[in-house]
PDB file of all heavy atoms in Angstrom:
ATOM      1  N   ARG A  19      38.001-213.843 -88.462  1.00 95.00           N
ATOM      2  CA  ARG A  19      36.805-214.471 -89.022  1.00 95.00           C
ATOM      3  C   ARG A  19      37.105-215.062 -90.401  1.00 95.00           C
ATOM      4  O   ARG A  19      38.029-214.636 -91.101  1.00 95.00           O
ATOM      5  CB  ARG A  19      35.665-213.455 -89.154  1.00 95.00           C
ATOM      6  CG  ARG A  19      35.018-213.086 -87.843  1.00 95.00           C
ATOM      7  CD  ARG A  19      33.826-212.166 -88.062  1.00 95.00           C
ATOM      8  NE  ARG A  19      32.715-212.825 -88.767  1.00 95.00           N
ATOM      9  CZ  ARG A  19      31.565-212.222 -89.050  1.00 95.00           C
ATOM     10  NH1 ARG A  19      31.389-210.942 -88.703  1.00 95.00           N
ATOM     11  NH2 ARG A  19      30.604-212.869 -89.682  1.00 95.00           N
ATOM     12  N   VAL A  20      36.293-216.017 -90.777  1.00 95.00           N
ATOM     13  CA  VAL A  20      36.427-216.627 -92.096  1.00 95.00           C
ATOM     14  C   VAL A  20      35.596-215.831 -93.100  1.00 95.00           C
ATOM     15  O   VAL A  20      34.450-215.457 -92.816  1.00 95.00           O
ATOM     16  CB  VAL A  20      35.966-218.097 -92.077  1.00 95.00           C
ATOM     17  CG1 VAL A  20      35.999-218.695 -93.488  1.00 95.00           C
ATOM     18  CG2 VAL A  20      36.837-218.913 -91.129  1.00 95.00           C
ATOM     19  N   VAL A  21      36.183-215.563 -94.241  1.00 95.00           N
ATOM     20  CA  VAL A  21      35.505-214.807 -95.283  1.00 95.00           C
ATOM     21  C   VAL A  21      35.679-215.512 -96.627  1.00 95.00           C
ATOM     22  O   VAL A  21      36.762-216.023 -96.928  1.00 95.00           O
ATOM     23  CB  VAL A  21      36.040-213.356 -95.357  1.00 95.00           C
ATOM     24  CG1 VAL A  21      37.533-213.347 -95.678  1.00 95.00           C
ATOM     25  CG2 VAL A  21      35.272-212.523 -96.379  1.00 95.00           C
ATOM     26  N   ASP A  22      34.608-215.576 -97.385  1.00 92.00           N
ATOM     27  CA  ASP A  22      34.682-216.113 -98.748  1.00 92.00           C
ATOM     28  C   ASP A  22      34.965-214.963 -99.707  1.00 92.00           C
ATOM     29  O   ASP A  22      34.344-213.897 -99.614  1.00 92.00           O
ATOM     30  CB  ASP A  22      33.367-216.775 -99.151  1.00 92.00           C
ATOM     31  CG  ASP A  22      33.235-218.185 -98.626  1.00 92.00           C
ATOM     32  OD1 ASP A  22      34.185-218.670 -97.984  1.00 92.00           O
ATOM     33  OD2 ASP A  22      32.175-218.804 -98.828  1.00 92.00           O
ATOM     34  N   VAL A  23      35.894-215.180-100.625  1.00 91.00           N
ATOM     35  CA  VAL A  23      36.227-214.167-101.626  1.00 91.00           C
ATOM     36  C   VAL A  23      36.320-214.832-102.999  1.00 91.00           C
ATOM     37  O   VAL A  23      36.502-216.049-103.107  1.00 91.00           O
ATOM     38  CB  VAL A  23      37.564-213.454-101.311  1.00 91.00           C
ATOM     39  CG1 VAL A  23      37.490-212.711 -99.987  1.00 91.00           C
ATOM     40  CG2 VAL A  23      38.729-214.438-101.313  1.00 91.00           C
ATOM     41  N   PHE A  24      36.185-214.014-104.040  1.00 86.00           N
ATOM     42  CA  PHE A  24      36.454-214.463-105.404  1.00 86.00           C
ATOM     43  C   PHE A  24      37.838-213.961-105.789  1.00 86.00           C
ATOM     44  O   PHE A  24      38.168-212.803-105.540  1.00 86.00           O
ATOM     45  CB  PHE A  24      35.435-213.897-106.386  1.00 86.00           C
ATOM     46  CG  PHE A  24      34.038-214.400-106.171  1.00 86.00           C
ATOM     47  CD1 PHE A  24      33.008-213.517-105.892  1.00 86.00           C
ATOM     48  CD2 PHE A  24      33.745-215.752-106.268  1.00 86.00           C
ATOM     49  CE1 PHE A  24      31.714-213.966-105.700  1.00 86.00           C
ATOM     50  CE2 PHE A  24      32.457-216.216-106.069  1.00 86.00           C
ATOM     51  CZ  PHE A  24      31.438-215.318-105.783  1.00 86.00           C
ATOM     52  N   ILE A  25      38.653-214.812-106.382  1.00 85.00           N
ATOM     53  CA  ILE A  25      39.940-214.382-106.903  1.00 85.00           C
ATOM     54  C   ILE A  25      40.029-214.772-108.365  1.00 85.00           C
ATOM     55  O   ILE A  25      39.465-215.776-108.793  1.00 85.00           O
ATOM     56  CB  ILE A  25      41.131-214.984-106.116  1.00 85.00           C
ATOM     57  CG1 ILE A  25      41.136-216.509-106.209  1.00 85.00           C
ATOM     58  CG2 ILE A  25      41.124-214.528-104.672  1.00 85.00           C
ATOM     59  CD1 ILE A  25      42.377-217.134-105.603  1.00 85.00           C
ATOM     60  N   GLN A  26      40.720-213.943-109.144  1.00 74.00           N
ATOM     61  CA  GLN A  26      40.851-214.200-110.571  1.00 74.00           C
ATOM     62  C   GLN A  26      41.860-215.306-110.862  1.00 74.00           C
ATOM     63  O   GLN A  26      41.676-216.117-111.748  1.00 74.00           O
ATOM     64  CB  GLN A  26      41.268-212.909-111.287  1.00 74.00           C
ATOM     65  CG  GLN A  26      40.283-211.772-111.123  1.00 74.00           C
ATOM     66  CD  GLN A  26      38.922-212.102-111.714  1.00 74.00           C
ATOM     67  OE1 GLN A  26      38.805-212.348-112.906  1.00 74.00           O
ATOM     68  NE2 GLN A  26      37.897-212.103-110.894  1.00 74.00           N
ATOM     69  N   GLU A  27      42.931-215.320-110.076  1.00 76.00           N
ATOM     70  CA  GLU A  27      43.955-216.345-110.222  1.00 76.00           C
ATOM     71  C   GLU A  27      44.876-216.274-109.020  1.00 76.00           C
ATOM     72  O   GLU A  27      44.828-215.315-108.235  1.00 76.00           O
ATOM     73  CB  GLU A  27      44.754-216.137-111.514  1.00 76.00           C
ATOM     74  CG  GLU A  27      45.489-214.816-111.586  1.00 76.00           C
ATOM     75  CD  GLU A  27      46.224-214.637-112.911  1.00 76.00           C
ATOM     76  OE1 GLU A  27      46.423-215.631-113.621  1.00 76.00           O
ATOM     77  OE2 GLU A  27      46.600-213.509-113.213  1.00 76.00           O
ATOM     78  N   LEU A  28      45.704-217.264-108.854  1.00 85.00           N
ATOM     79  CA  LEU A  28      46.677-217.299-107.765  1.00 85.00           C
ATOM     80  C   LEU A  28      48.066-217.323-108.371  1.00 85.00           C
ATOM     81  O   LEU A  28      48.375-218.153-109.224  1.00 85.00           O
ATOM     82  CB  LEU A  28      46.457-218.551-106.898  1.00 85.00           C
ATOM     83  CG  LEU A  28      47.237-218.628-105.588  1.00 85.00           C
ATOM     84  CD1 LEU A  28      46.722-217.586-104.603  1.00 85.00           C
ATOM     85  CD2 LEU A  28      47.106-220.025-104.977  1.00 85.00           C
ATOM     86  N   SER A  29      48.911-216.372-107.935  1.00 85.00           N
ATOM     87  CA  SER A  29      50.268-216.309-108.470  1.00 85.00           C
ATOM     88  C   SER A  29      51.097-217.493-107.971  1.00 85.00           C
ATOM     89  O   SER A  29      50.719-218.189-107.025  1.00 85.00           O
ATOM     90  CB  SER A  29      50.932-214.998-108.060  1.00 85.00           C
ATOM     91  OG  SER A  29      51.162-214.976-106.654  1.00 85.00           O
ATOM     92  N   LYS A  30      52.235-217.696-108.608  1.00 86.00           N
ATOM     93  CA  LYS A  30      53.115-218.786-108.201  1.00 86.00           C
ATOM     94  C   LYS A  30      53.737-218.499-106.837  1.00 86.00           C
ATOM     95  O   LYS A  30      53.984-217.351-106.482  1.00 86.00           O
ATOM     96  CB  LYS A  30      54.224-218.978-109.239  1.00 86.00           C
ATOM     97  CG  LYS A  30      53.717-219.507-110.575  1.00 86.00           C
ATOM     98  CD  LYS A  30      54.873-219.742-111.536  1.00 86.00           C
ATOM     99  CE  LYS A  30      54.378-220.300-112.864  1.00 86.00           C
ATOM    100  NZ  LYS A  30      55.489-220.534-113.823  1.00 86.00           N
ATOM    101  N   ALA A  31      53.961-219.546-106.079  1.00 89.00           N
ATOM    102  CA  ALA A  31      54.588-219.413-104.769  1.00 89.00           C
ATOM    103  C   ALA A  31      56.032-218.940-104.919  1.00 89.00           C
ATOM    104  O   ALA A  31      56.692-219.224-105.923  1.00 89.00           O
ATOM    105  CB  ALA A  31      54.543-220.745-104.040  1.00 89.00           C
ATOM    106  N   THR A  32      56.510-218.208-103.927  1.00 90.00           N
ATOM    107  CA  THR A  32      57.885-217.728-103.905  1.00 90.00           C
ATOM    108  C   THR A  32      58.504-218.061-102.557  1.00 90.00           C
ATOM    109  O   THR A  32      57.827-218.552-101.644  1.00 90.00           O
ATOM    110  CB  THR A  32      57.938-216.204-104.123  1.00 90.00           C
ATOM    111  OG1 THR A  32      57.263-215.550-103.031  1.00 90.00           O
ATOM    112  CG2 THR A  32      57.268-215.816-105.436  1.00 90.00           C
ATOM    113  N   THR A  33      59.772-217.764-102.419  1.00 89.00           N
ATOM    114  CA  THR A  33      60.430-217.983-101.132  1.00 89.00           C
ATOM    115  C   THR A  33      59.793-217.116-100.061  1.00 89.00           C
ATOM    116  O   THR A  33      59.593-217.548 -98.923  1.00 89.00           O
ATOM    117  CB  THR A  33      61.928-217.654-101.242  1.00 89.00           C
ATOM    118  OG1 THR A  33      62.512-218.454-102.282  1.00 89.00           O
ATOM    119  CG2 THR A  33      62.641-217.934 -99.925  1.00 89.00           C
ATOM    120  N   GLU A  34      59.468-215.861-100.444  1.00 89.00           N
ATOM    121  CA  GLU A  34      58.859-214.940 -99.495  1.00 89.00           C
ATOM    122  C   GLU A  34      57.411-215.309 -99.185  1.00 89.00           C
ATOM    123  O   GLU A  34      56.927-215.092 -98.087  1.00 89.00           O
ATOM    124  CB  GLU A  34      58.909-213.500-100.024  1.00 89.00           C
ATOM    125  CG  GLU A  34      60.302-212.913-100.160  1.00 89.00           C
ATOM    126  CD  GLU A  34      61.051-213.463-101.365  1.00 89.00           C
ATOM    127  OE1 GLU A  34      60.388-214.017-102.285  1.00 89.00           O
ATOM    128  OE2 GLU A  34      62.287-213.362-101.386  1.00 89.00           O
ATOM    129  N   ASN A  35      56.704-215.842-100.186  1.00 93.00           N
ATOM    130  CA  ASN A  35      55.313-216.242 -99.998  1.00 93.00           C
ATOM    131  C   ASN A  35      55.122-217.657-100.537  1.00 93.00           C
ATOM    132  O   ASN A  35      54.964-217.863-101.744  1.00 93.00           O
ATOM    133  CB  ASN A  35      54.367-215.274-100.723  1.00 93.00           C
ATOM    134  CG  ASN A  35      52.910-215.513-100.353  1.00 93.00           C
ATOM    135  OD1 ASN A  35      52.455-216.649-100.267  1.00 93.00           O
ATOM    136  ND2 ASN A  35      52.175-214.429-100.128  1.00 93.00           N
ATOM    137  N   PRO A  36      55.157-218.659 -99.665  1.00 94.00           N
ATOM    138  CA  PRO A  36      55.097-220.058-100.094  1.00 94.00           C
ATOM    139  C   PRO A  36      53.731-220.504-100.610  1.00 94.00           C
ATOM    140  O   PRO A  36      53.596-221.638-101.075  1.00 94.00           O
ATOM    141  CB  PRO A  36      55.461-220.817 -98.814  1.00 94.00           C
ATOM    142  CG  PRO A  36      55.027-219.910 -97.710  1.00 94.00           C
ATOM    143  CD  PRO A  36      55.287-218.520 -98.205  1.00 94.00           C
ATOM    144  N   VAL A  37      52.723-219.628-100.546  1.00 95.00           N
ATOM    145  CA  VAL A  37      51.385-219.982-101.028  1.00 95.00           C
ATOM    146  C   VAL A  37      51.089-219.329-102.365  1.00 95.00           C
ATOM    147  O   VAL A  37      50.540-219.946-103.280  1.00 95.00           O
ATOM    148  CB  VAL A  37      50.301-219.566 -99.994  1.00 95.00           C
ATOM    149  CG1 VAL A  37      48.911-219.892-100.536  1.00 95.00           C
ATOM    150  CG2 VAL A  37      50.526-220.279 -98.666  1.00 95.00           C
ATOM    151  N   GLY A  38      51.479-218.071-102.523  1.00 92.00           N
ATOM    152  CA  GLY A  38      51.127-217.283-103.696  1.00 92.00           C
ATOM    153  C   GLY A  38      50.143-216.194-103.299  1.00 92.00           C
ATOM    154  O   GLY A  38      49.656-216.174-102.167  1.00 92.00           O
ATOM    155  N   ARG A  39      49.854-215.289-104.221  1.00 90.00           N
ATOM    156  CA  ARG A  39      48.930-214.206-103.917  1.00 90.00           C
ATOM    157  C   ARG A  39      47.763-214.218-104.895  1.00 90.00           C
ATOM    158  O   ARG A  39      47.934-214.443-106.098  1.00 90.00           O
ATOM    159  CB  ARG A  39      49.634-212.843-103.973  1.00 90.00           C
ATOM    160  CG  ARG A  39      50.721-212.689-102.917  1.00 90.00           C
ATOM    161  CD  ARG A  39      51.255-211.274-102.874  1.00 90.00           C
ATOM    162  NE  ARG A  39      50.280-210.304-102.402  1.00 90.00           N
ATOM    163  CZ  ARG A  39      50.011-210.099-101.104  1.00 90.00           C
ATOM    164  NH1 ARG A  39      50.619-210.814-100.172  1.00 90.00           N
ATOM    165  NH2 ARG A  39      49.127-209.192-100.762  1.00 90.00           N
ATOM    166  N   GLY A  40      46.575-213.961-104.350  1.00 88.00           N
ATOM    167  CA  GLY A  40      45.376-213.905-105.172  1.00 88.00           C
ATOM    168  C   GLY A  40      45.281-212.567-105.888  1.00 88.00           C
ATOM    169  O   GLY A  40      45.486-211.521-105.270  1.00 88.00           O
ATOM    170  N   ARG A  41      44.976-212.590-107.192  1.00 78.00           N
ATOM    171  CA  ARG A  41      44.842-211.346-107.955  1.00 78.00           C
ATOM    172  C   ARG A  41      43.399-210.860-107.904  1.00 78.00           C
ATOM    173  O   ARG A  41      42.467-211.593-108.155  1.00 78.00           O
ATOM    174  CB  ARG A  41      45.272-211.548-109.409  1.00 78.00           C
ATOM    175  CG  ARG A  41      46.733-211.948-109.538  1.00 78.00           C
ATOM    176  CD  ARG A  41      47.259-211.738-110.947  1.00 78.00           C
ATOM    177  NE  ARG A  41      47.456-210.323-111.253  1.00 78.00           N
ATOM    178  CZ  ARG A  41      46.795-209.667-112.203  1.00 78.00           C
ATOM    179  NH1 ARG A  41      45.877-210.273-112.910  1.00 78.00           N
ATOM    180  NH2 ARG A  41      47.054-208.400-112.429  1.00 78.00           N
ATOM    181  N   HIS A  42      43.259-209.590-107.527  1.00 78.00           N
ATOM    182  CA  HIS A  42      41.963-208.920-107.446  1.00 78.00           C
ATOM    183  C   HIS A  42      40.936-209.699-106.622  1.00 78.00           C
ATOM    184  O   HIS A  42      39.836-210.009-107.099  1.00 78.00           O
ATOM    185  CB  HIS A  42      41.409-208.663-108.847  1.00 78.00           C
ATOM    186  CG  HIS A  42      42.279-207.782-109.678  1.00 78.00           C
ATOM    187  ND1 HIS A  42      42.475-206.456-109.393  1.00 78.00           N
ATOM    188  CD2 HIS A  42      43.033-208.054-110.765  1.00 78.00           C
ATOM    189  CE1 HIS A  42      43.297-205.936-110.281  1.00 78.00           C
ATOM    190  NE2 HIS A  42      43.662-206.887-111.120  1.00 78.00           N
ATOM    191  N   PRO A  43      41.262-210.010-105.361  1.00 87.00           N
ATOM    192  CA  PRO A  43      40.257-210.661-104.512  1.00 87.00           C
ATOM    193  C   PRO A  43      39.086-209.704-104.265  1.00 87.00           C
ATOM    194  O   PRO A  43      39.282-208.508-104.058  1.00 87.00           O
ATOM    195  CB  PRO A  43      41.018-210.925-103.199  1.00 87.00           C
ATOM    196  CG  PRO A  43      42.466-210.768-103.531  1.00 87.00           C
ATOM    197  CD  PRO A  43      42.521-209.767-104.640  1.00 87.00           C
ATOM    198  N   THR A  44      37.881-210.212-104.316  1.00 86.00           N
ATOM    199  CA  THR A  44      36.698-209.401-104.033  1.00 86.00           C
ATOM    200  C   THR A  44      35.842-210.112-102.986  1.00 86.00           C
ATOM    201  O   THR A  44      35.616-211.325-103.064  1.00 86.00           O
ATOM    202  CB  THR A  44      35.856-209.162-105.297  1.00 86.00           C
ATOM    203  OG1 THR A  44      35.484-210.408-105.864  1.00 86.00           O
ATOM    204  CG2 THR A  44      36.646-208.370-106.320  1.00 86.00           C
ATOM    205  N   TYR A  45      35.383-209.328-102.026  1.00 90.00           N
ATOM    206  CA  TYR A  45      34.575-209.854-100.929  1.00 90.00           C
ATOM    207  C   TYR A  45      33.282-210.478-101.437  1.00 90.00           C
ATOM    208  O   TYR A  45      32.608-209.932-102.310  1.00 90.00           O
ATOM    209  CB  TYR A  45      34.265-208.713 -99.956  1.00 90.00           C
ATOM    210  CG  TYR A  45      33.142-209.002 -98.990  1.00 90.00           C
ATOM    211  CD1 TYR A  45      33.351-209.789 -97.856  1.00 90.00           C
ATOM    212  CD2 TYR A  45      31.860-208.487 -99.213  1.00 90.00           C
ATOM    213  CE1 TYR A  45      32.312-210.056 -96.976  1.00 90.00           C
ATOM    214  CE2 TYR A  45      30.822-208.744 -98.342  1.00 90.00           C
ATOM    215  CZ  TYR A  45      31.050-209.536 -97.222  1.00 90.00           C
ATOM    216  OH  TYR A  45      30.014-209.798 -96.358  1.00 90.00           O
ATOM    217  N   TYR A  46      32.936-211.633-100.874  1.00 86.00           N
ATOM    218  CA  TYR A  46      31.673-212.295-101.207  1.00 86.00           C
ATOM    219  C   TYR A  46      30.764-212.359 -99.979  1.00 86.00           C
ATOM    220  O   TYR A  46      29.662-211.830 -99.987  1.00 86.00           O
ATOM    221  CB  TYR A  46      31.958-213.687-101.763  1.00 86.00           C
ATOM    222  CG  TYR A  46      30.733-214.510-102.072  1.00 86.00           C
ATOM    223  CD1 TYR A  46      29.554-213.921-102.528  1.00 86.00           C
ATOM    224  CD2 TYR A  46      30.749-215.901-101.940  1.00 86.00           C
ATOM    225  CE1 TYR A  46      28.432-214.677-102.813  1.00 86.00           C
ATOM    226  CE2 TYR A  46      29.633-216.665-102.237  1.00 86.00           C
ATOM    227  CZ  TYR A  46      28.478-216.048-102.667  1.00 86.00           C
ATOM    228  OH  TYR A  46      27.372-216.803-102.956  1.00 86.00           O
ATOM    229  N   ARG A  47      31.270-212.966 -98.873  1.00 88.00           N
ATOM    230  CA  ARG A  47      30.454-213.094 -97.665  1.00 88.00           C
ATOM    231  C   ARG A  47      31.325-213.577 -96.512  1.00 88.00           C
ATOM    232  O   ARG A  47      32.376-214.187 -96.728  1.00 88.00           O
ATOM    233  CB  ARG A  47      29.331-214.112 -97.895  1.00 88.00           C
ATOM    234  CG  ARG A  47      29.858-215.498 -98.263  1.00 88.00           C
ATOM    235  CD  ARG A  47      28.740-216.448 -98.611  1.00 88.00           C
ATOM    236  NE  ARG A  47      29.298-217.745 -99.059  1.00 88.00           N
ATOM    237  CZ  ARG A  47      28.558-218.787 -99.422  1.00 88.00           C
ATOM    238  NH1 ARG A  47      27.237-218.698 -99.400  1.00 88.00           N
ATOM    239  NH2 ARG A  47      29.138-219.912 -99.824  1.00 88.00           N
ATOM    240  N   PHE A  48      30.892-213.303 -95.305  1.00 92.00           N
ATOM    241  CA  PHE A  48      31.552-213.849 -94.130  1.00 92.00           C
ATOM    242  C   PHE A  48      30.920-215.188 -93.790  1.00 92.00           C
ATOM    243  O   PHE A  48      29.722-215.411 -94.011  1.00 92.00           O
ATOM    244  CB  PHE A  48      31.429-212.886 -92.945  1.00 92.00           C
ATOM    245  CG  PHE A  48      32.321-211.684 -93.053  1.00 92.00           C
ATOM    246  CD1 PHE A  48      31.803-210.454 -93.404  1.00 92.00           C
ATOM    247  CD2 PHE A  48      33.685-211.790 -92.822  1.00 92.00           C
ATOM    248  CE1 PHE A  48      32.625-209.343 -93.534  1.00 92.00           C
ATOM    249  CE2 PHE A  48      34.519-210.685 -92.945  1.00 92.00           C
ATOM    250  CZ  PHE A  48      33.982-209.464 -93.300  1.00 92.00           C
TER     251      PHE A  48
END
């Protein structure tokens, strides 16, 4: 399912993760 979340920031992409990781994601709504 699709979920909306709030994130504080997105880390830089790496070889292992080409998108980056969201810091402290918090659930908002589905």
Side-chain angles (χ1 to χ4, degrees):
R19 286 185 67 179
V20 175
V21 61
D22 278 358
V23 298
F24 294 120
I25 62 173
Q26 300 298 299
E27 61 182 343
L28 190 69
S29 68
K30 292 183 179 180
T32 63
T33 303
E34 294 75 19
N35 190 317
V37 178
R39 296 188 67 81
R41 298 197 73 243
H42 299 292
T44 57
Y45 164 79
Y46 177 33
R47 59 185 176 179
F48 286 104

